[in-house]
Every structure is written in C-alpha cells, then in structure tokens.
Amino acid sequence: IFSQAESTLRYSAYSNAINYNVNDVCKQLPAMRSGSFYFKDQKIAAGKSSEGITPSFQVGSYIADKVPYHMNGDRDMFTIVKELVNGKEGALALDIGANQGFYTYFLATLGMQVHSFEISSKNFQALQHGIEFNNKPVADRVHLYP
C-alpha cells in the first residue's frame, strides 16, 4: 500500500504514457465546481500551506491551525511533485482519496486541472471549502467528486 504522495508521484511519472479516453458516462458524474452549491460549515477554516512550500495555497480543515505541521512531513514530496509537473500546466491530475486537499490545491496552484475524489463525507466537506479559500483561477481548476 502506497501513501497518497507516493501514488501521486507514480501517477505523475507514468501519466505521459497513458491515453485518457473520457467517455460520456464520465462526463455525467456529479462534480463540485467553484460556483457550485454546498453548505458552509463554521467549524472548517482555512489552513495555510507550510512555510517553504511554494507556491503557497490553502485547504479547508477542521484543524486548520495544525495544517502546516501536517504538511511538513510531506515537504520533500511537494518538491518532487512540483518538479515532475513543471511545464505541464493545464494537464490532467487525479487525486484519489483527496482527504482535505493538500495535493489537490497544490497541483491546482501549479496550473494543473485537478479531479479529486473523496469518499469520507467529513473530509469532502473540508475539501469543498478549499475552493473558497483559494483564488478563483486555482478554484476553477479544481473538480470535486464525492
């Protein structure tokens, strides 16, 4: 079993060799876009990325003050992911098991079109709020699926 960051790296390393055929069924999946409707939860606040992770971004979190601490453990992975996607702005990125969106919003900030999937309703609510805490160009590159 690979961590989310390891899975992201493996996906990024092989993404050039994969032909993504998006059929009509895929296009009909319900998605959460920046202009979509959701219920705001006052317990979810903006968690800022750790100092030194660039470009900076924000996620929605029930424990927003602890977000930088949790990101510090993945600092090297953020650097590697950034190097792997350099020059691929506008390309497709998938975040399966997106949790609160550390990689979702990081990749969107780097210019990727990110499709994120999260099965936990609590984490999905936090993931939705991240759209609100980032600027519009970043939010417009994020597509969320429960």
Side-chain angles (χ1 to χ4, degrees), residues 71-111:
M71 279 189 197
N72 273 333
D74 281 346
R75 184 182 300 272
D76 292 338
M77 298 308 282
F78 283 107
T79 301
I80 292 169
V81 167
K82 182 178 177 180
E83 290 172 8
L84 287 170
V85 302
N86 186 31
K88 298 179 182 174
E89 293 80 7
L92 172 69
L94 301 175
D95 189 354
I96 311 297
N99 199 284
Q100 297 176 34
F102 289 10
Y103 287 95
T104 293
Y105 292 103
F106 181 62
L107 288 164
T109 302
L110 292 171

Coordinates of all heavy atoms in Angstrom, one line a residue, residues 71-111:
M71 N 1.7 19.2 6.9 CA 2.3 19.3 5.6 C 3.8 19.2 5.7 O 4.4 18.7 4.7 CB 2.0 20.7 5.0 CG 0.6 20.7 4.3 SD 0.5 22.2 3.4 CE -1.3 22.2 3.2
N72 N 4.4 19.6 6.8 CA 5.9 19.5 7.0 C 6.4 18.1 6.7 O 7.5 17.9 6.1 CB 6.3 20.0 8.3 CG 6.5 21.5 8.4 OD1 6.8 22.1 7.3 ND2 6.3 22.0 9.5
G73 N 5.6 17.1 7.1 CA 6.0 15.7 6.8 C 6.1 15.3 5.4 O 6.8 14.4 5.0
D74 N 5.4 16.1 4.5 CA 5.4 15.8 3.1 C 6.2 16.8 2.3 O 6.1 16.9 1.1 CB 4.0 15.8 2.6 CG 3.2 14.5 2.9 OD1 3.9 13.5 3.2 OD2 2.0 14.5 2.7
R75 N 7.0 17.7 3.0 CA 7.7 18.8 2.3 C 8.5 18.3 1.1 O 8.4 18.8 0.0 CB 8.6 19.5 3.3 CG 9.3 20.7 2.7 CD 10.2 21.3 3.7 NE 9.5 21.8 4.9 CZ 8.9 23.0 5.0 NH1 9.0 23.8 4.0 NH2 8.3 23.3 6.0
D76 N 9.2 17.2 1.2 CA 10.0 16.7 0.1 C 9.1 16.2 -1.0 O 9.5 16.3 -2.2 CB 10.9 15.5 0.6 CG 12.0 16.0 1.5 OD1 12.4 17.2 1.5 OD2 12.6 15.2 2.3
M77 N 8.0 15.6 -0.7 CA 7.1 15.1 -1.7 C 6.5 16.3 -2.5 O 6.4 16.2 -3.7 CB 6.0 14.3 -1.1 CG 6.5 13.0 -0.4 SD 7.5 12.0 -1.4 CE 6.3 11.2 -2.5
F78 N 6.2 17.4 -1.9 CA 5.7 18.6 -2.6 C 6.8 19.0 -3.6 O 6.5 19.4 -4.7 CB 5.3 19.7 -1.6 CG 4.0 19.5 -0.9 CD1 4.0 19.1 0.4 CD2 2.8 19.6 -1.6 CE1 2.7 18.9 1.1 CE2 1.6 19.5 -1.0 CZ 1.6 19.1 0.4
T79 N 8.0 19.0 -3.1 CA 9.1 19.5 -4.0 C 9.2 18.6 -5.2 O 9.4 19.0 -6.4 CB 10.4 19.5 -3.2 OG1 10.3 20.4 -2.1 CG2 11.6 19.9 -4.1
I80 N 9.2 17.2 -5.0 CA 9.3 16.3 -6.1 C 8.1 16.4 -7.1 O 8.3 16.4 -8.3 CB 9.4 14.9 -5.6 CG1 10.7 14.7 -4.8 CG2 9.3 13.8 -6.7 CD1 10.9 13.4 -4.0
V81 N 6.9 16.5 -6.5 CA 5.7 16.7 -7.4 C 5.8 17.9 -8.2 O 5.5 17.9 -9.4 CB 4.4 16.7 -6.5 CG1 3.2 17.1 -7.3 CG2 4.2 15.3 -5.9
K82 N 6.3 19.0 -7.6 CA 6.4 20.3 -8.3 C 7.4 20.1 -9.5 O 7.2 20.6 -10.6 CB 6.9 21.4 -7.4 CG 7.1 22.7 -8.0 CD 7.5 23.8 -7.0 CE 7.7 25.1 -7.6 NZ 8.2 26.1 -6.6
E83 N 8.5 19.4 -9.3 CA 9.5 19.2 -10.3 C 8.9 18.3 -11.4 O 9.1 18.6 -12.6 CB 10.7 18.5 -9.8 CG 11.6 19.4 -8.9 CD 12.7 18.7 -8.1 OE1 12.9 17.5 -8.4 OE2 13.3 19.3 -7.3
L84 N 8.1 17.3 -11.1 CA 7.5 16.4 -12.1 C 6.5 17.1 -13.0 O 6.3 16.7 -14.1 CB 6.9 15.2 -11.4 CG 7.9 14.2 -10.8 CD1 7.2 13.1 -10.0 CD2 8.6 13.5 -11.9
V85 N 5.7 18.0 -12.4 CA 4.7 18.7 -13.2 C 5.1 20.0 -13.9 O 4.4 20.6 -14.6 CB 3.4 18.9 -12.4 CG1 2.9 17.5 -11.9 CG2 3.6 19.9 -11.3
N86 N 6.4 20.4 -13.6 CA 6.9 21.6 -14.2 C 6.8 21.6 -15.7 O 7.2 20.6 -16.4 CB 8.3 21.8 -13.8 CG 8.9 23.2 -14.3 OD1 8.1 24.1 -14.4 ND2 10.2 23.2 -14.6
G87 N 6.1 22.6 -16.3 CA 6.0 22.7 -17.8 C 4.7 21.9 -18.3 O 4.5 21.9 -19.5
K88 N 3.9 21.4 -17.4 CA 2.7 20.6 -17.8 C 1.4 21.4 -17.4 O 0.4 20.7 -17.2 CB 2.8 19.2 -17.2 CG 3.9 18.4 -17.7 CD 4.0 17.0 -17.1 CE 5.2 16.3 -17.5 NZ 5.3 15.0 -16.9
E89 N 1.5 22.6 -17.2 CA 0.3 23.4 -16.8 C -0.8 23.1 -17.7 O -0.7 23.0 -18.9 CB 0.7 24.9 -16.8 CG 1.7 25.4 -15.8 CD 3.1 25.1 -16.2 OE1 3.4 24.7 -17.4 OE2 4.0 25.3 -15.4
G90 N -2.0 23.0 -17.1 CA -3.2 22.7 -17.9 C -3.4 21.2 -18.1 O -4.5 20.8 -18.5
A91 N -2.5 20.3 -17.7 CA -2.6 18.9 -17.9 C -3.5 18.3 -16.8 O -3.8 19.0 -15.8 CB -1.2 18.2 -17.8
L92 N -4.0 17.1 -17.0 CA -4.9 16.4 -16.0 C -4.1 15.8 -14.9 O -3.1 15.2 -15.0 CB -5.6 15.3 -16.8 CG -6.5 14.4 -15.9 CD1 -7.7 15.1 -15.4 CD2 -6.9 13.2 -16.8
A93 N -4.6 16.0 -13.7 CA -4.1 15.4 -12.5 C -5.3 14.8 -11.7 O -6.3 15.4 -11.6 CB -3.4 16.4 -11.6
L94 N -5.1 13.6 -11.2 CA -6.1 12.9 -10.4 C -5.7 12.8 -8.9 O -4.5 12.5 -8.7 CB -6.4 11.5 -10.9 CG -6.9 11.4 -12.3 CD1 -7.0 9.9 -12.7 CD2 -8.2 12.1 -12.5
D95 N -6.5 13.1 -8.0 CA -6.2 13.0 -6.6 C -7.3 12.0 -6.0 O -8.4 12.4 -5.7 CB -6.2 14.3 -5.9 CG -5.7 14.3 -4.4 OD1 -5.4 13.1 -3.9 OD2 -5.6 15.3 -3.8
I96 N -6.9 10.8 -5.9 CA -7.8 9.7 -5.4 C -7.6 9.6 -3.9 O -6.5 9.3 -3.5 CB -7.6 8.4 -6.1 CG1 -7.5 8.6 -7.7 CG2 -8.6 7.4 -5.7 CD1 -8.7 9.1 -8.3
G97 N -8.7 9.8 -3.2 CA -8.5 9.8 -1.7 C -7.9 11.2 -1.3 O -6.9 11.3 -0.6
A98 N -8.6 12.2 -1.7 CA -8.0 13.6 -1.6 C -7.9 14.1 -0.2 O -7.2 15.1 0.0 CB -8.9 14.5 -2.5
N99 N -8.6 13.5 0.7 CA -8.7 13.9 2.1 C -9.1 15.4 2.1 O -10.1 15.7 1.6 CB -7.3 13.7 2.8 CG -7.4 13.7 4.3 OD1 -7.4 14.8 4.9 ND2 -7.3 12.5 4.9
Q100 N -8.3 16.3 2.7 CA -8.7 17.7 2.8 C -8.1 18.5 1.6 O -8.4 19.7 1.5 CB -8.2 18.3 4.1 CG -8.9 17.6 5.3 CD -8.4 18.2 6.6 OE1 -8.1 19.3 6.8 NE2 -8.4 17.3 7.6
G101 N -7.3 17.9 0.8 CA -6.9 18.5 -0.5 C -5.5 19.1 -0.5 O -5.3 20.0 -1.3
F102 N -4.6 18.6 0.3 CA -3.2 19.1 0.3 C -2.7 19.1 -1.2 O -2.2 20.1 -1.7 CB -2.3 18.3 1.2 CG -2.5 18.5 2.6 CD1 -3.6 19.2 3.2 CD2 -1.6 18.0 3.5 CE1 -3.7 19.4 4.5 CE2 -1.7 18.1 4.9 CZ -2.8 18.8 5.4
Y103 N -2.8 17.9 -1.8 CA -2.3 17.8 -3.2 C -3.2 18.4 -4.2 O -2.8 18.9 -5.2 CB -1.9 16.3 -3.5 CG -0.7 15.9 -2.7 CD1 -0.8 15.2 -1.5 CD2 0.6 16.2 -3.2 CE1 0.4 14.9 -0.8 CE2 1.7 15.8 -2.5 CZ 1.6 15.2 -1.3 OH 2.7 14.8 -0.6
T104 N -4.5 18.3 -3.9 CA -5.5 18.9 -4.9 C -5.2 20.4 -5.1 O -5.0 20.8 -6.2 CB -6.9 18.8 -4.3 OG1 -7.3 17.4 -4.3 CG2 -7.9 19.5 -5.1
Y105 N -5.1 21.1 -4.0 CA -4.9 22.6 -4.1 C -3.5 22.9 -4.5 O -3.2 24.0 -5.2 CB -5.4 23.3 -2.9 CG -6.9 23.2 -2.8 CD1 -7.5 22.3 -2.0 CD2 -7.7 23.9 -3.7 CE1 -8.9 22.1 -2.0 CE2 -9.1 23.7 -3.7 CZ -9.7 22.9 -2.9 OH -11.1 22.7 -2.9
F106 N -2.5 22.1 -4.1 CA -1.1 22.4 -4.5 C -1.0 22.2 -6.1 O -0.5 23.1 -6.7 CB -0.2 21.4 -3.8 CG 1.3 21.6 -4.2 CD1 1.9 22.8 -3.9 CD2 2.0 20.6 -4.8 CE1 3.3 22.9 -4.2 CE2 3.3 20.7 -5.1 CZ 4.0 21.9 -4.8
L107 N -1.5 21.1 -6.6 CA -1.5 20.9 -8.0 C -2.2 21.9 -8.8 O -1.8 22.4 -9.9 CB -2.0 19.5 -8.4 CG -1.1 18.3 -8.0 CD1 -1.8 17.0 -8.0 CD2 0.2 18.3 -8.9
A108 N -3.4 22.3 -8.3 CA -4.2 23.4 -9.0 C -3.4 24.7 -8.9 O -3.4 25.5 -9.9 CB -5.5 23.5 -8.3
T109 N -2.7 25.0 -7.9 CA -1.9 26.2 -7.8 C -0.8 26.2 -8.8 O -0.3 27.2 -9.3 CB -1.3 26.4 -6.3 OG1 -2.5 26.4 -5.4 CG2 -0.6 27.7 -6.2
L110 N -0.3 24.9 -9.1 CA 0.8 24.8 -10.1 C 0.2 24.8 -11.5 O 1.0 24.7 -12.5 CB 1.5 23.4 -9.9 CG 2.4 23.4 -8.6 CD1 2.8 21.9 -8.4 CD2 3.5 24.4 -8.6
G111 N -1.1 25.0 -11.7 CA -1.7 25.1 -13.0 C -2.3 23.9 -13.6 O -2.8 23.9 -14.7

